[in-house]
Amino acid sequence: MRILHTKPAEDGFYMPAEFAPHEGCLMIWPERADSWQYGAYAARKAFVRVIETIADSEKMTVFCSARQYDNARAQLSPRVRVAVLETDDAWARDIGPTFVVNGAGERRGVDWGFNAWGGIYPDCLRDAAAARRMCDLLDDDCYDLRGFICEGGSLHVDGEGTALVTEACLLNENRNPALDRAGIERVLCGALGVSKVIWLPRGIYQDETDEHVDNICAFVAPGEVVLAWTDDESDPQHALSAASLAALEAAVDAKGRKIKVHKLPLPAPVRITAEECEGLDRCEGEPTRTPGERLAASYVNFYIANGAVVMPAFGDPMDEKAQSILQGLFPTRKVVPIPARDILIGGGNIHCITQQIPRV
Amino acid sequence: MRILHTKPAEDGFYMPAEFAPHEGCLMIWPERADSWQYGAYAARKAFVRVIETIADSEKMTVFCSARQYDNARAQLSPRVRVAVLETDDAWARDIGPTFVVNGAGERRGVDWGFNAWGGIYPDCLRDAAAARRMCDLLDDDCYDLRGFICEGGSLHVDGEGTALVTEACLLNENRNPALDRAGIERVLCGALGVSKVIWLPRGIYQDETDEHVDNICAFVAPGEVVLAWTDDESDPQHALSAASLAALEAAVDAKGRKIKVHKLPLPAPVRITAEECEGLDRCEGEPTRTPGERLAASYVNFYIANGAVVMPAFGDPMDEKAQSILQGLFPTRKVVPIPARDILIGGGNIHCITQQIPRV
């Protein structure tokens, strides 16, 4: 693995869309006790279902701590590769490399700077070091973009020159305070090989990532997105989704196309229970969740595998509606809903715990 | 990766000879302070030369601790893959999987039991766990032979049904005291897919592995071995080598062939200096080396790469003679001598720190 100090775009590399073919997918085995209740047993069950569903159509590599290796190996099917790598938590989307490709069949990783989403946990050095080590394992050269704080979940691309981000996250002064909007756009264009950045103002209410785009809006095809939506004007989410809709309606993509928006309904608010909170360690002496707290549940946080769309389900009447909408948008893939409350408690969802490796 | 509880031979698998084609090679970055003097700086220089020499003709994967990752990555060329794996020391031959193949293009690993060569260091759980994790990384299924204590350096095969071992090691009661010679032969035949085990009585004088075969005798072709040799009858090694020669002259291999023995001269005794000892941590409060102690130096401890024979050199007049003999025996490979005193101090040599991955 070479560590490169140029920018992907200047070398002819770009990030392909998630719906382009994958060679495989990276995930991390959950263990952190202030993220995953009662020893992560419930979370692991949900992770295993996600892993095995993706493994039906992609080569899965799951990273875990040395302590958890034998257990992870026992829980996962033999077709899944398990590799030991110490991390601080299990968010492969945000701490893994963002992969870029060129027209000559080469793939490289982008190693962003990582500060635990602006500082959610104090010690994030193992997470910050993970992307480079994952690239090394895959034998992919790796761009050093550690000077720019960024998480994979804070961006989406259409593979045709357009990136989608939120102002709430990318402009937050807890990430890259020295850069203004134009400066951030320059970095994203250089790193992702895009020429156009579409900015949504906000994401999902109470999303502790500072409202990552991957929880509210995702490309389903070039020029087409799904947007998390509620018609309930009394829900604080309504104004956030409406602002994003307005931004999308006003935007054109890198090819000059208007954006077609498919509204994806939100489930009824999901609130953490006292019993669930009781099973979480304190972080820096403080609770990470309080009973009754609304979690940032959204069906948009799905993963597009080669053969499936792996969608979070919440045991809500809207589950079926969301599944049906996504199935209409992804006719060549099977939409697979997976009960994801135990992932959501950790602070993200299926997209956040996965990282695709594009096929070259 | 599947964990298999059958035996390789019953599944049609066997260990190919080291001179058969390799897909790559595994090594481990040295770090342990009671093995490698003065912070392992000198040892790492020697390891790097071994790694890069092999990398000229094989894909190298080097495992290192998380602490050492950035340093190892910086010292090694980009063509070398660096993967984080915590181990207790750096002897890939002894703690890595022994690879077996079948006629259908499949490869699997054998995960032997490991007790640190009968107990050289007390805490060897990370070494004992390493082989399985290496197989997982390579996506090779893995035979669970942990019930049998064995190190890769304690055996050689010709790839045509014959294994070569020493009684000093395999019959030592610190390994498998419940098994007699016939019982050990049965295990070796089942694990390596051989039908004949040739027993040499002894190995190299002062070899703390209990005289691994890979330091005294190695196949260079089916029916042909090199044997570490000294004509100096006052050297305690003379009787050991002579006993092995007698055993080889009395033996036939699995195909009924007599064994052709090429004597490979030993260097003059290599003794550790007080200054070198000073740079080693204590193990369990005791020195691991004492000044003037003779080390188990032998040219036989070479690695047969696809394009090279990587041979230890000791700055001894015999270096050239050994190189010349090996070059005659390996006409299609370049014999590359590498100054190896700083590897030898750790207790082994180039063969001990490498583990080939057969090509299928």
Side-chain angles (χ1 to χ4, degrees):
Chain A
M1 177 191 71
R2 287 182 299 159
I3 296 168
L4 305 168
H5 298 282
T6 52
K7 300 284 179 294
E10 70 197 51
D11 298 335
F13 282 74
Y14 69 97
M15 181 185 178
E18 192 170 321
F19 42 77
H22 300 173
E23 177 181 311
C25 177
L26 305 176
M27 287 181 63
I28 302 167
W29 190 246
E31 186 175 357
R32 188 182 176 97
D34 55 356
S35 292
W36 313 103
Q37 50 158 343
Y38 296 107
Y41 280 74
R44 283 180 199 145
K45 281 204 170 71
F47 272 60
V48 167
R49 288 187 64 176
V50 172
I51 292 164
E52 297 295 346
T53 302
I54 300 172
D56 286 339
S57 64
E58 301 186 3
K59 179 67 197 175
M60 281 300 315
T61 296
V62 175
F63 296 99
C64 70
S65 73
R67 287 177 304 284
Q68 276 292 313
Y69 174 81
D70 286 337
N71 183 45
R73 183 65 280 168
Q75 309 285 334
L76 295 166
S77 71
R79 63 188 174 171
V80 175
R81 175 163 79 149
V82 182
V84 174
L85 185 74
E86 305 291 332
T87 58
D88 295 302
D89 206 350
W91 307 102
R93 175 67 51 187
D94 291 344
I95 70 162
T98 296
F99 290 100
V100 292
V101 301
N102 68 6
E106 293 174 288
R107 184 180 61 226
R108 294 174 176 170
V110 172
D111 179 17
W112 310 102
F114 181 75
N115 70 357
W117 309 273
I120 287 182
Y121 43 72
D123 177 2
C124 63
L125 291 178
R126 295 183 298 179
D127 274 357
R132 191 168 292 188
R133 295 169 191 191
M134 294 175 178
C135 287
D136 213 339
L137 208 72
L138 296 169
D139 243 341
D140 286 346
D141 290 336
C142 182
Y143 285 103
D144 178 1
L145 271 84
R146 289 187 175 174
F148 182 72
I149 301 294
C150 186
E151 307 94 39
S154 72
L155 52 93
H156 266 309
V157 296
D158 66 355
E160 299 189 357
T162 313
L164 194 62
V165 301
T166 65
E167 295 170 350
C169 178
L170 274 281
L171 298 185
N172 196 307
E173 64 181 13
N174 64 12
R175 301 298 208 285
N176 299 288
L179 290 174
D180 61 8
R181 177 191 296 251
I184 287 170
E185 285 198 4
R186 274 194 301 275
V187 175
L188 293 176
C189 289
L192 304 173
V194 298
S195 57
K196 177 69 184 276
V197 179
I198 297 177
W199 293 84
L200 307 185
R202 300 291 300 269
I204 292 291
Y205 179 66
Q206 296 260 76
D207 186 327
E208 64 197 336
T209 65
D210 299 310
E211 304 173 17
H212 271 181
V213 72
D214 72 342
N215 210 18
I216 185 161
C217 189
F219 282 109
V220 296
E224 278 187 62
V225 300
V226 286
L227 176 68
W229 188 259
T230 174
D231 288 320
D232 178 358
E233 294 186 14
S234 71
D235 184 334
Q237 181 60 43
H238 179 76
L240 275 54
S241 290
S244 287
L245 180 60
L248 287 163
E249 286 175 341
V252 291
D253 67 14
K255 304 268 194 205
R257 289 174 292 226
K258 300 284 293 174
I259 309 294
K260 186 168 180 186
V261 180
H262 304 275
K263 290 177 181 171
L264 202 58
L266 284 156
V270 176
R271 298 183 190 281
I272 194 166
T273 67
E275 197 206 349
E276 287 165 339
C277 288
E278 188 65 24
L280 291 167
D281 277 7
R282 308 282 168 130
C283 183
E284 290 194 283
E286 298 296 324
T288 54
R289 298 267 178 261
T290 45
E293 179 183 330
R294 180 169 171 182
L295 301 172
S298 164
Y299 299 111
V300 170
N301 212 303
F302 52 79
Y303 176 75
I304 309 170
N306 287 336
V309 172
V310 192
M311 181 196 101
F314 304 101
D316 185 283
M318 280 300 178
D319 287 1
E320 272 187 48
K321 176 107 189 263
Q323 180 181 357
S324 158
I325 291 170
L326 287 175
Q327 193 59 75
L329 295 170
F330 291 102
T332 65
R333 292 169 168 95
K334 184 175 182 213
V335 177
V336 181
I338 291 183
R341 180 184 181 91
D342 292 307
I343 304 174
L344 179 63
I345 287 172
N349 224 310
I350 291 170
H351 194 258
C352 308
I353 61 173
T354 52
Q355 181 64 258
Q356 72 273 8
I357 307 166
R359 186 183 297 159
V360 286
Chain B
M1 177 192 70
R2 287 183 299 160
I3 295 168
L4 305 167
H5 299 281
T6 53
K7 301 286 180 291
E10 68 197 52
D11 298 335
F13 282 74
Y14 70 97
M15 182 184 178
E18 191 171 321
F19 42 77
H22 301 173
E23 178 181 311
C25 177
L26 305 177
M27 287 181 63
I28 302 168
W29 190 246
E31 186 176 357
R32 187 182 177 97
D34 56 357
S35 292
W36 312 104
Q37 49 159 344
Y38 296 107
Y41 280 74
R44 283 181 200 145
K45 281 206 169 72
F47 272 60
V48 167
R49 287 188 65 177
V50 172
I51 292 163
E52 297 295 347
T53 302
I54 300 172
D56 286 339
S57 64
E58 300 186 4
K59 179 67 198 176
M60 281 301 316
T61 297
V62 175
F63 296 99
C64 70
S65 73
R67 286 179 304 285
Q68 276 292 316
Y69 174 81
D70 285 336
N71 183 44
R73 183 65 278 169
Q75 309 285 336
L76 295 166
S77 70
R79 62 189 174 171
V80 175
R81 175 163 79 149
V82 183
V84 174
L85 185 74
E86 305 291 331
T87 58
D88 296 302
D89 206 350
W91 307 104
R93 175 68 50 186
D94 291 345
I95 70 163
T98 295
F99 291 100
V100 293
V101 301
N102 68 6
E106 293 175 288
R107 185 180 60 226
R108 294 174 177 170
V110 172
D111 179 17
W112 309 101
F114 181 75
N115 70 357
W117 309 272
I120 288 183
Y121 43 72
D123 177 3
C124 63
L125 292 178
R126 295 183 300 179
D127 274 357
R132 191 168 292 189
R133 296 169 190 192
M134 292 175 179
C135 287
D136 213 339
L137 208 72
L138 297 170
D139 242 342
D140 285 347
D141 289 338
C142 182
Y143 285 102
D144 178 0
L145 271 86
R146 288 187 176 176
F148 183 73
I149 301 294
C150 186
E151 308 95 38
S154 72
L155 52 94
H156 266 309
V157 296
D158 67 355
E160 298 189 357
T162 312
L164 194 61
V165 301
T166 64
E167 295 170 350
C169 177
L170 274 282
L171 298 184
N172 195 308
E173 63 181 13
N174 64 12
R175 301 298 209 283
N176 299 287
L179 291 174
D180 61 6
R181 179 191 295 251
I184 286 170
E185 285 198 3
R186 274 194 300 276
V187 175
L188 292 176
C189 289
L192 303 173
V194 298
S195 58
K196 177 67 185 276
V197 179
I198 297 177
W199 293 84
L200 307 185
R202 300 291 300 271
I204 292 291
Y205 179 66
Q206 296 260 77
D207 187 327
E208 64 197 336
T209 65
D210 299 310
E211 304 174 17
H212 271 181
V213 72
D214 72 342
N215 211 18
I216 185 161
C217 189
F219 283 109
V220 297
E224 278 187 59
V225 299
V226 285
L227 176 68
W229 188 260
T230 174
D231 288 319
D232 179 359
E233 294 186 16
S234 71
D235 184 335
Q237 181 59 44
H238 179 76
L240 276 55
S241 290
S244 287
L245 180 61
L248 288 162
E249 286 174 342
V252 291
D253 68 13
K255 304 269 192 202
R257 288 174 292 224
K258 299 287 292 176
I259 309 294
K260 185 167 181 186
V261 180
H262 304 276
K263 291 178 181 170
L264 202 57
L266 283 157
V270 176
R271 299 183 190 281
I272 193 165
T273 66
E275 196 204 348
E276 286 166 338
C277 288
E278 188 65 24
L280 291 167
D281 277 7
R282 307 283 168 128
C283 182
E284 291 194 283
E286 297 298 323
T288 54
R289 297 267 177 263
T290 45
E293 178 183 330
R294 180 169 170 181
L295 302 172
S298 164
Y299 298 111
V300 171
N301 211 304
F302 54 78
Y303 176 74
I304 309 170
N306 287 336
V309 173
V310 192
M311 181 196 101
F314 303 101
D316 185 283
M318 281 300 177
D319 288 1
E320 271 187 49
K321 178 106 188 264
Q323 179 181 357
S324 157
I325 291 169
L326 287 175
Q327 192 60 75
L329 294 170
F330 291 101
T332 64
R333 291 169 168 96
K334 184 175 182 211
V335 178
V336 181
I338 290 183
R341 180 183 182 92
D342 293 306
I343 304 174
L344 179 63
I345 288 172
N349 223 310
I350 292 169
H351 194 257
C352 309
I353 61 173
T354 52
Q355 181 63 259
Q356 72 274 6
I357 308 165
R359 187 184 295 159
V360 286

